[in-house]
Amino acid sequence: MTTEEKILLAAKKSFFEKGYDGAKMQDIANDAGINKAMLHYYFRSKELLYEKVNMSFAKVIIPQINSLVDTELNIFQTIENFVEIYLEFLQKNPDLPSYFIGEMNRNHDMFFKVLSENATQPNFVAFAQKIYSAIEQKEIRPVNPIQLILNIISLCIFPYLAAPMLQYATQSDDTFIGEIIANRKKEITSFILHSLTNQNDVLYEN
Amino acid sequence: MTTEEKILLAAKKSFFEKGYDGAKMQDIANDAGINKAMLHYYFRSKELLYEKVNMSFAKVIIPQINSLVDTELNIFQTIENFVEIYLEFLQKNPDLPSYFIGEMNRNHDMFFKVLSENATQPNFVAFAQKIYSAIEQKEIRPVNPIQLILNIISLCIFPYLAAPMLQYATQSDDTFIGEIIANRKKEITSFILHSLTNQNDVLYEN
DNA sequence: GTCTATAATTTGATAGAC
DNA sequence: GTCTATCAAATTATAGAC
């Protein structure tokens, strides 16, 4: 592994754990097993190092998300596929959501600068259109496509954000939380499809 | 307004915007319209000030959440009530979720120390039991109560966490995002109740 | 209680030898 | 490329006058 790779790996670890403000160059250097001066030799400043780290996954994630809506599948298979791939990705990167949300809300400008320069826009148009036509053909009940997509993503991501609170609230150990997350794929898919295929009016009050 | 109150207000603003690491004592002092030395006179250190700020809402929030499950209502009214009050609270405190999630994942120890010392545990037992009995009486389809509660909370909170990303992804202005959030109560309630009252088997694959 | 001035420490960044 | 030594700025915290 080259020095540059060692730095990027250590930097990602620090930024993910502590955020931009909390991460310290000295810690990154120690963790990479090299000297602090080397960080500046390779990346010039903390800010540029931060941008490089964010670039490294911005380029990977957005295209992955955009490719999730395979046009050959019907609406039900599309949703199941989306949830499955999304959750698989999250299980491999469980600390990504809280980093993403945290940095997006705190270091707004720096974060979106990298995103707009290095990644294609997330594109949900194909997904929304598939939802539209499924409604037209009465395969699912009428819903606002954007709200539905938001629902699906909420259900997938939120447990990873709330894991520490979930553990605190249920006063349980890691295994219990792990179990909840492991059952999440089935739960979410079932939850969504039950909702979409119920054409009845279910609002009990206004 | 006393000096102490002015400090707490300014501190909350800074911590909410920047997090513990990003917030600076000088900014807090400026924002409160007083001198930096006063912060230490009243709260001794940044860490203690941080704890006081967190205490001030930890004492308020958790009891509110615990009181949401009114025992007189049936399962459908309970859920609608829960979503309504929860969303009303979030609309009044739209920056609370990202602060909460960010600090919980970054300054884990400091954060939960305050929570355990100053707030009662969030208690979802009453809610879970109401879900159980609704299943027994076949008012709703069989679900895991914890998963359902997690679903409900996910749907309520996540849009507030993802608002900047939502704006970026849809390339829209504030009004559009505001509209989505405004329609959220109806959407979430409808989404959940449609799912729960659909007793059919809807899983299309395994 | 409130302020100015200053100490003490942390931290990002650079200079220069090897 | 890599290191040690050091600088300059930022930041938390305190001392002491009023």
Side-chain angles (χ1 to χ4, degrees):
Chain A
M1 195 153 60
T2 68
T3 302
E4 188 169 336
E5 288 170 332
K6 280 192 282 187
I7 293 174
L8 279 172
L9 195 69
K12 184 185 167 183
K13 183 163 172 281
S14 271
F15 285 133
F16 268 53
E17 273 176 19
K18 308 271 192 176
Y20 179 79
D21 296 312
K24 303 303 168 195
M25 297 293 265
Q26 186 64 59
D27 294 339
I28 295 173
N30 292 345
D31 199 49
I34 48 103
N35 190 278
K36 197 172 50 163
M38 297 296 285
L39 301 181
H40 292 93
Y41 176 79
Y42 277 96
F43 297 95
R44 250 201 33 230
S45 72
K46 184 183 180 183
E47 196 164 323
L48 287 173
L49 176 56
Y50 179 71
E51 290 184 6
K52 286 282 180 197
V53 168
N54 286 337
M55 273 162 55
S56 71
F57 66 81
K59 280 185 183 166
V60 176
I61 292 175
I62 311 270
Q64 274 190 353
I65 293 176
N66 283 346
S67 71
L68 279 185
V69 184
D70 188 318
T71 46
E72 305 233 341
L73 302 173
N74 69 26
I75 184 67
F76 302 110
Q77 292 164 332
T78 300
I79 292 173
E80 286 187 0
N81 185 53
F82 187 92
V83 171
E84 180 170 355
I85 309 286
Y86 215 106
L87 287 181
E88 264 175 29
F89 173 76
L90 287 170
Q91 214 131 8
K92 281 184 205 147
N93 306 275
D95 49 357
L96 184 72
S98 70
Y99 173 71
F100 202 93
I101 298 291
E103 297 304 287
M104 180 172 68
N105 283 286
R106 275 163 175 57
N107 295 340
H108 191 280
D109 293 340
M110 233 195 298
F111 197 75
F112 279 107
K113 177 171 166 261
V114 173
L115 225 57
S116 60
E117 282 173 5
N118 292 282
T120 53
Q121 291 266 335
N123 180 10
F124 293 113
V125 176
F127 201 168
Q129 279 178 339
K130 190 169 282 190
I131 295 169
Y132 263 126
S133 54
I135 295 171
E136 276 179 12
Q137 293 170 22
K138 300 200 191 293
E139 292 177 320
I140 61 174
R141 67 179 173 85
V143 288
N144 178 328
I146 290 184
Q147 295 275 7
L148 175 56
I149 294 172
L150 187 55
N151 290 349
I152 296 172
I153 295 175
S154 300
L155 293 168
C156 290
I157 295 184
F158 188 76
Y160 288 91
L161 296 170
M165 190 64 203
L166 200 58
Q167 189 160 342
Y168 177 76
T170 59
Q171 289 188 300
S172 57
D173 54 3
D174 287 348
T175 25
F176 185 67
I177 306 301
E179 203 178 315
I180 291 176
I181 296 215
N183 292 329
R184 203 70 193 137
K185 183 202 153 190
K186 207 173 140 193
E187 166 65 26
I188 293 176
T189 310
S190 168
F191 191 73
I192 296 168
L193 295 191
H194 272 98
S195 182
L196 293 179
T197 57
N198 186 352
Q199 305 266 3
N200 298 327
D201 187 5
V202 297
L203 287 177
Y204 287 79
E205 63 173 296
N206 225 346
Chain B
M1 195 155 60
T2 68
T3 302
E4 188 169 336
E5 288 170 331
K6 280 193 281 188
I7 293 174
L8 279 173
L9 196 69
K12 183 186 166 181
K13 183 163 171 281
S14 271
F15 285 134
F16 268 53
E17 272 176 19
K18 308 271 192 176
Y20 178 79
D21 295 312
K24 302 302 168 197
M25 297 293 265
Q26 185 65 59
D27 294 338
I28 295 173
N30 292 344
D31 199 50
I34 48 106
N35 190 276
K36 198 173 48 162
M38 297 296 286
L39 301 181
H40 293 92
Y41 176 79
Y42 277 96
F43 297 95
R44 253 205 26 233
S45 72
K46 183 182 181 184
E47 195 164 326
L48 286 173
L49 176 56
Y50 179 70
E51 290 184 7
K52 286 281 181 197
V53 169
N54 287 337
M55 273 163 52
S56 72
F57 66 81
K59 280 185 182 168
V60 176
I61 292 174
I62 310 269
Q64 273 189 353
I65 294 176
N66 283 346
S67 71
L68 281 185
V69 183
D70 188 317
T71 46
E72 305 232 342
L73 303 173
N74 69 28
I75 185 67
F76 302 110
Q77 293 166 330
T78 300
I79 290 173
E80 286 187 0
N81 186 53
F82 187 91
V83 170
E84 180 170 355
I85 309 285
Y86 215 106
L87 286 181
E88 264 176 28
F89 174 77
L90 286 171
Q91 214 130 7
K92 280 183 206 149
N93 305 275
D95 50 357
L96 184 72
S98 70
Y99 173 71
F100 202 93
I101 298 292
E103 297 304 294
M104 180 173 66
N105 283 287
R106 275 165 175 56
N107 295 338
H108 191 282
D109 293 341
M110 236 194 297
F111 197 74
F112 279 107
K113 176 169 166 263
V114 173
L115 225 59
S116 60
E117 281 172 7
N118 291 282
T120 53
Q121 291 267 334
N123 180 10
F124 293 114
V125 175
F127 202 168
Q129 279 178 341
K130 191 168 281 188
I131 294 169
Y132 263 126
S133 54
I135 295 171
E136 274 179 13
Q137 293 170 22
K138 300 199 190 294
E139 292 178 321
I140 61 174
R141 69 178 171 85
V143 288
N144 179 327
I146 290 184
Q147 296 275 5
L148 175 56
I149 294 172
L150 186 56
N151 290 350
I152 296 172
I153 296 175
S154 301
L155 292 168
C156 290
I157 296 184
F158 187 77
Y160 289 89
L161 296 170
M165 189 64 205
L166 199 58
Q167 190 160 340
Y168 176 77
T170 60
Q171 288 187 303
S172 57
D173 55 1
D174 287 349
T175 26
F176 185 68
I177 306 299
E179 202 178 315
I180 291 177
I181 297 217
N183 291 329
R184 205 69 193 137
K185 184 203 153 189
K186 206 173 140 191
E187 165 65 26
I188 293 175
T189 310
S190 169
F191 191 74
I192 296 168
L193 296 191
H194 273 97
S195 183
L196 293 180
T197 57
N198 186 352
Q199 305 267 0
N200 298 328
D201 187 5
V202 297
L203 288 178
Y204 287 79
E205 64 173 294
N206 224 347

